[in-house]
Amino acid sequence: MPNGTFGAQVSVASGHGSASTDRVMRFVPEFATPAAASQYALDEGVLWVERQTSKPIVF
């Protein structure tokens, strides 16, 4: 970001060929480090997938 902070965004893709979709989410909070921005994006992406599928994701 211009002020030296970092933004977070995540892309969740699914499907194949012409049936593929891609959901891109950009988030408002700004973060002091790239790692903090990445973790926030990952957490939000996982929550979105869990809500869509009603299944918890385990790493």
Side-chain angles (χ1 to χ4, degrees):
M1 308 293 285
N3 64 0
T5 61
F6 298 87
Q9 69 179 31
V10 66
S11 171
V12 179
S14 64
H16 295 71
S18 62
S20 65
T21 61
D22 188 16
R23 169 81 175 188
V24 177
M25 294 170 269
R26 292 181 181 93
F27 304 104
V28 173
E30 295 178 8
F31 301 89
T33 66
S38 294
Q39 188 62 56
Y40 184 88
L42 176 62
D43 292 344
E44 290 296 314
V46 167
L47 284 172
W48 185 85
V49 171
E50 287 177 342
R51 285 187 205 115
Q52 299 305 307
T53 62
S54 301
K55 296 179 184 178
I57 295 177
V58 179
F59 290 96

